[in-house]
Amino acid sequence: MRGAAALLSAARTPDGVWEVVRATGLASAPVAVDDDMRAALRLGGAQQARIAGGVGSFRVLALQLDEGATLREALQRIARRLTSSAPHVLWLVGAVERSGERAAIVAWSGSERSARVASFVWEPDRVV
């Protein structure tokens, strides 16, 4: 429990969020998302993104949101865009607000119009 609390408390950057994901063992080592890949995935509103592969078509994305972006709205938009641009991929997205005040891990299934979203949101300053 203390190890999990320490990971969640340290998740104030994309690297910190990545450490939470890495602890699950779901993906290989991440690589930085360059501008071309960011455009192809339609990740406007996100910066410092990293991506990694998992088993089959499973992919993990960790990113930091632009200043002023709220987790809920930004992640809904990113989920719609990823579903639209890469519908064959199963995504797990970890994100942190630029301020580091809140972080989340999100996954979804279904189509762009009828996606079922599951999320885990936390405040790194308030993990007990």
Side-chain angles (χ1 to χ4, degrees):
M1 287 296 236
R2 290 179 195 213
L7 281 172
L8 294 172
S9 294
R12 299 170 196 284
T13 66
D15 289 334
V17 171
W18 185 261
E19 288 302 313
V20 173
V21 173
R22 186 190 59 74
T24 68
L26 293 173
S28 60
V31 296
V33 174
D34 63 19
D35 291 339
D36 292 337
M37 184 182 291
R38 187 184 330 264
L41 293 174
R42 301 172 52 208
L43 293 177
Q47 51 187 282
Q48 297 184 28
R50 289 150 187 61
I51 192 168
V55 176
S57 63
F58 183 72
R59 299 293 178 268
V60 177
L61 184 65
L63 51 90
Q64 183 176 49
L65 301 176
D66 286 340
E67 189 70 42
T70 62
L71 275 175
R72 182 181 180 100
E73 293 171 3
L75 289 173
Q76 287 175 347
R77 184 178 58 251
I78 288 168
R80 282 192 307 273
R81 290 176 177 175
L82 288 172
T83 300
S84 173
S85 61
H88 60 288
V89 175
L90 300 172
W91 291 99
L92 179 75
V93 177
V96 62
E97 292 177 338
R98 177 130 176 126
S99 64
E101 291 180 18
R102 291 190 310 158
I105 294 177
V106 179
W108 59 93
S109 64
S111 69
E112 184 178 357
R113 294 177 189 224
S114 63
R116 296 185 59 141
V117 177
S119 63
F120 173 62
V121 179
W122 72 95
E123 296 176 12
D125 285 339
R126 298 178 186 228
V127 175
V128 293

